[in-house]
């Protein structure tokens, strides 16, 4: 694997789509709609100084990984590359865990389609990707993690089928084609 | 599941500090195992100054991170020692290059003699001529030979020779095969653009219809087919050629004017001294060697038939160290010893003994395993397993007991392995299978 299992797609997703949509809506309905509380913005798209705060960083990590798993399911269904990746083996279930923020999600390739969810998965995981420390997961979200080194040092634990993790990574990386990072 | 909880049915492993799968030697009674603390310490240093810490096929991420050695210290014969002082019977043989055993005295004597005279000159040496003559003698269809340093040097150059010879663009290869680390065939994703592979098409191993369909679809445009003599994917069983597969491939290639390239980088000089095609009854146009050719010294070669020699002369081929004499002397000595001592027969017999013993020991513990590949390049994994966890546990356990098997990549036997090594391996396997059996009971 050459890139983080879960890259910065979340930030890109939010930066590229969700927040602009919010802002457009606010522009149209400025008179009648209140702006979200500043705290929400800090949570969704934090500035680097905000991430020094553990509370903000933990929430950001949980939201980010949740968004990434959901996005992967959508891409596998509708994106040509994601769909093509789904057509190749291996099938199986991948579980993603960040215990420090209580994140526990899963994705499952089966018969060319991808499904996902949170909490206890419906079957034993073929591969488990675990970030023992949420700060490592944060680096992965921000595309600042040397994944191969992190696996070697134990900062990131991948147990089970590495090819399945790699296959999911290809789908996740595809997100950045839809939501290119803001310059 | 917490960060340190287990895969279902397996013992605890892998906390953030890589809490060991099983307790340390003092508690678990595995004498002589010193843990992997120094490996981890070096890796922590490396990860600060080298991308990935260790990159490529030896990356810890591809093994059993935390439960495997990361760094080697020295080697001799069929064994090596890691930086923590653990000794292993080496069934990876440096992922293939070590075919006679580490630090073979006759090879190293030839190397020392050449080193005293010099290695890297303004010109090639007589060793290059001798080695080309030797390979042309050994390879039945061979009329000429060229040299590089790695398998990828040769496979990439060979497809260019095929394109030069045919004036065509398309290269056919086997899906999920490994032909090197260059952009047209790299298993990685990073740094590639679609144009790198726009003229590369893949078909399924052993599927002649699939291959012929591709040839029909691109009739008159296919320059070459490149494939290994048997299919040896990582994270999978090795698959031998089906009856008639290679004969059919050869027939179609001849009919359609397609250059048939045998990528014998991994299996070369372990199945047959004259190229692995001799085992499977076909004849390629080009054959690429590396790995075992120099018994650990960096050298690669392509041998080709006369019709391709002019085209080969037109495809630029060089590298700063590609004419170095030491590796060529190592190759000449390696080939001489392999032939004199029937090294290939010896590896086959050792491999047969090893694999039969492993299967028998697994069965004793009620474990179903699948053995695949030729005896000298074998692989074994647990049946009915999609997550590789029993395989990883077995390899971690047997490594603690002094045997180095890779969990996801085919293994290599060398001519230095002895019957005593196999007996010691099987005793260790017995204990490792017991752990796996207990864990999955």
């Amino acid at each position: 694997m050459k890139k983080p299992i879960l890259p910065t797609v979340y930030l890109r997703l939010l930066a590229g789509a969700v927040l602009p949509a919010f802002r457009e809506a606010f522009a149209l309905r400025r008179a009648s709609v209140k702006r979200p509380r500043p705290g929400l913005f800090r949570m969704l798209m934090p500035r680097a100084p905000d991430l020094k705060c553990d509370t903000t960083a933990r929430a950001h990590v949980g939201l980010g990984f949740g968004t990434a798993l959901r996005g992967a399911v959508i891409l596998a269904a509708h994106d040509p590359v994601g769909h093509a990746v789904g057509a190749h083996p291996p099938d199986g279930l991948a579980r993603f865990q960040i215990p420090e923020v209580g994140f526990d999600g899963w994705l499952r390739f089966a018969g060319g389609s991808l499904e996902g969810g949170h909490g206890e998965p419906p079957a034993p995981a073929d591969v488990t990707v675990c970030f023992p420390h949420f700060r490592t997961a944060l680096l992965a979200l921000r595309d600042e993690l040397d994944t191969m080194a992190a696996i070697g040092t134990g900062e990131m634990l991948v147990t089970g089928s590495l090819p399945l993790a790699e296959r999911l990574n290809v789908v996740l990386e595809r997100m950045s084609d839809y939501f290119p990072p803001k310059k | 599941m917490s960060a340190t909880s287990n895969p279902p049915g397996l013992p605890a492993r892998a906390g953030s500090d890589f809490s060991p799968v099983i307790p340390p030697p003092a508690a678990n009674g595995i004498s002589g195992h010193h843990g992997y603390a120094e490996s981890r310490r070096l890796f922590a240093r490396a990860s600060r100054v080298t991308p990935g810490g260790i990159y490529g096929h030896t990356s810890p991420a591809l093994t059993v991170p935390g439960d495997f050695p990361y760094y080697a210290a020295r080697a001799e014969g069929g064994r090596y020692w890691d930086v923590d002082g653990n000794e292993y019977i080496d069934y990876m043989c440096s992922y293939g290059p070590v075919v006679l055993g580490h630090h073979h005295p006759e090879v190293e004597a030839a190397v020392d003699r050449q080193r005293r005279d010099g290695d890297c000159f303004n010109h090639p040496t007589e060793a290059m001529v001798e080695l080309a003559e030797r390979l042309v003698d050994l390879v039945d269809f061979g009329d000429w030979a060229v040299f590089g340093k790695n398998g990828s040097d040769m496979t990439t150059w060979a497809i260019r020779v095929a394109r030069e010879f045919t004036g065509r663009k398309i290269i056919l290869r086997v899906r999920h095969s490994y032909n090197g680390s260059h952009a047209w065939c790299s298993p990685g994703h990073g740094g590639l653009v679609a144009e790198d592979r726009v003229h590369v098409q893949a078909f399924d191993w052993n599927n002649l219809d699939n291959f012929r369909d591709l040839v029909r679809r691109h009739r008159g445009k296919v320059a070459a087919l490149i494939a290994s003599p048997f299919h040896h994917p990582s994270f999978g069983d090795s698959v031998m050629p089906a009856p008639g597969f290679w004969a059919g491939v050869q027939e179609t290639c001849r009919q359609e004017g397609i250059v048939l390239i045998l990528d014998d980088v991994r299996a070369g000089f372990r199945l047959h001294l004259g190229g692995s095609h001799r085992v499977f009854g076909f004849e390629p146009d080009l054959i690429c060697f590396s790995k075992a050719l120099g018994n650990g010294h960096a050298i690669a070669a392509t041998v080709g038939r006369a019709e391709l020699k002019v085209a080969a002369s037109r495809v630029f081929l060089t590298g700063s160290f590609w004419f170095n004499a030491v590796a060529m002397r190592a190759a000449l000595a390696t080939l001489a010893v392999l032939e004199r001592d029937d090294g290939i027969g010896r590896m086959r017999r050792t491999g047969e003994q090893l694999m039969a013993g492993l299967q028998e020991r697994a069965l004793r513990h009620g474990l179903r395993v699948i053995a695949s590949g030729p005896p000298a390049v074998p692989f074994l994994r647990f049946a009915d397993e999609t997550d590789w966890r029993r395989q990883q546990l077995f390899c971690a356990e047997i490594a603690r007991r002094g045997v180095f098997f890779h969990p996801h990549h085919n293994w290599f036997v060398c001519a230095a392995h002895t019957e005593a090594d196999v007996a010691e391996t099987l005793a260790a396997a017995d204990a490792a299978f017991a752990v796996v059996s207990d864990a999955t009971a």
Side-chain angles (χ1 to χ4, degrees), chain A residues 2 88-89 95 97 99 104 124-128 130 132-133 146 148-149 151-155 157 159-163 166 170 173, chain B residues 1-3 8 13-16 18 43-44 47 50-53 59-62 65 70 175 188-190 235 386-389 392:
Chain A
K2 295 188 70 68
H88 292 290
R95 190 171 190 176
Q97 297 177 310
D104 191 355
D126 294 292
V127 64
T128 302
C130 178
H133 304 301
D146 181 339
M148 299 299 267
I151 294 173
T153 57
E155 294 166 283
L157 305 173
T159 53
S161 171
L162 201 63
E166 175 68 5
V170 173
E173 283 183 3
Chain B
M1 196 153 75
S2 74
R13 72 154 300 203
S16 60
F18 281 125
F43 190 82
S47 63
T50 301
S59 166
L62 300 175
Y70 293 176
R175 189 168 287 115
H189 303 292
F235 293 94
T386 57
D387 63 11
W388 295 90
R389 283 184 168 122
Q392 291 159 2

Side-chain angles (χ1 to χ4, degrees), chain B residues 62-149:
Chain B
L62 300 175
T63 61
V64 192
D67 286 320
F68 240 48
Y70 293 176
Y71 290 91
R74 65 188 179 90
E76 197 72 38
R79 294 177 182 240
Y80 85 98
W81 287 258
D82 71 15
V83 288
D84 288 284
N86 299 307
E87 177 180 345
Y88 304 94
I89 302 173
D90 182 2
Y91 290 109
M92 285 308 288
C93 297
S94 314
Y95 292 75
V98 173
V99 69
L100 293 173
H102 293 277
H103 205 248
H104 188 276
E106 288 172 81
V107 175
E108 295 312 308
V111 160
D112 287 344
R113 282 194 297 275
Q114 182 62 54
R115 192 177 283 130
R116 281 195 294 274
D117 288 339
D119 183 22
C120 189
F121 301 104
N122 294 329
H123 316 281
T125 64
E126 189 175 358
M128 182 170 166
V129 184
E130 286 179 31
L131 184 56
E133 289 172 343
R134 181 80 168 110
L135 288 173
V136 166
D137 282 346
L138 283 173
V139 176
D140 52 359
F141 66 87
D143 295 298
W144 53 264
V146 298
F147 303 101
K149 282 292 175 192

